[in-house]
Amino acid sequence: MSLEAVARKDFEDAVRSRWLLALSAFFVLLVSAVAYIVRPAGGGTFSSNAMLGLVNGSLVTTLVPLIALVIAYGAVVGERESGSLKLLLSLPHSRAEVVFGKVVGRTGAMAVPVVVGFLLPAFVLAIGPLQFDVGSYVGYTLLVVFLAAVFVAIAVGFSAAVPSQRLAVAGAVAVYFVFVPLWQILQLPLQFFLMGGTPGWLPLTGNEVLRLVRLLNPTGSFKIISGEYLAGTLLAAGEVGPEAAGQWATNMEIAAIAMLVAWLLVPPLLGLWRFELADL
């Protein structure tokens, strides 16, 4: 009940954030605009999965991490600097309940704009001819909430580990730029290095190294899972195409799921470890 109380209070605080409201409105408008633009002209039909595919590799993996990091970077350290954290810990809450309660609360706050962001385009698409797959649409929305939870967990973990909001802001900015706009650029030296052949001391092939680097990025793992989900081939080894190719794809999907779960759990645990040692 203590974790639930922390999560409920944190959710209520987060949904009142002006940053959350502004960025959420921007996200909703952009997704709705894409849905409106891609509507087929008279007589044509359009699949809801096709629209989701358009926003999956651009808007979702660009804006959702940004919104999540913005609303979560100060979750713990903000209260630490204001002094309200001492009051919170004077109640029957452990530091672990504070950290994970804030992960749950901020994820709940992120779920609101994500759900609204995909609910409104559903009405926009309904204006014109549409092949609407309700199951896929709802499932994809839940996947986006999962992506948001991952970046919330990263931000809360960092917020719990550092002593000032300045460091928390710097961490959030660094995480966003490394994982979103700069990831491909940062891979270029590695790609050039591997073009000359895989060194003998490396236990992996060049392609395996590049796939691992792709998986290490939460947005890269999300794109693998969401892309296969929208195509209807998620965890469908051997059902589509050659069995060997299907098994390879399934292994990548399982690795991507495991990587996202790791990002969801490890940063808050590391942040908690530092938070437990901190003198407040």
Side-chain angles (χ1 to χ4, degrees), residues 43-147:
T45 58
F46 190 73
S47 166
S48 57
N49 279 14
M51 188 280 289
L52 293 176
L54 289 174
V55 302
N56 182 53
S58 52
L59 294 181
V60 168
T61 52
T62 300
L63 289 179
V64 169
L66 175 64
I67 299 171
L69 291 168
V70 165
I71 72 164
Y73 77 86
V76 178
V77 75
E79 292 200 34
R80 183 174 175 177
E81 285 195 339
S82 69
S84 61
L85 186 59
K86 291 183 179 180
L87 177 61
L88 182 62
L89 291 173
S90 70
L91 300 172
H93 304 313
S94 68
R95 297 194 184 196
E97 288 169 337
V98 169
V99 171
F100 285 96
K102 288 184 176 293
V103 171
V104 173
R106 303 276 163 144
T107 298
M110 271 297 303
V112 175
V114 169
V115 171
V116 174
F118 286 104
L119 185 62
L120 185 57
F123 289 109
V124 172
L125 287 167
I127 298 173
L130 175 70
Q131 298 172 352
F132 193 74
D133 188 334
V134 176
S136 291
Y137 205 86
V138 172
Y140 180 78
T141 302
L142 294 177
L143 282 177
V144 176
V145 172
F146 184 37
L147 175 67

Side-chain angles (χ1 to χ4, degrees), residues 242-260:
E243 184 174 352
Q247 186 61 54
W248 177 87
T250 298
N251 290 338
M252 281 290 289
E253 293 154 14
I254 292 173
I257 293 170
M259 188 62 70
L260 286 178

Side-chain angles (χ1 to χ4, degrees), residues 184-197 210:
Q184 294 297 327
I185 298 174
L186 294 174
Q187 291 182 61
L188 288 177
L190 177 62
Q191 291 172 350
F192 283 125
F193 174 71
L194 293 174
M195 284 175 61
L210 294 176

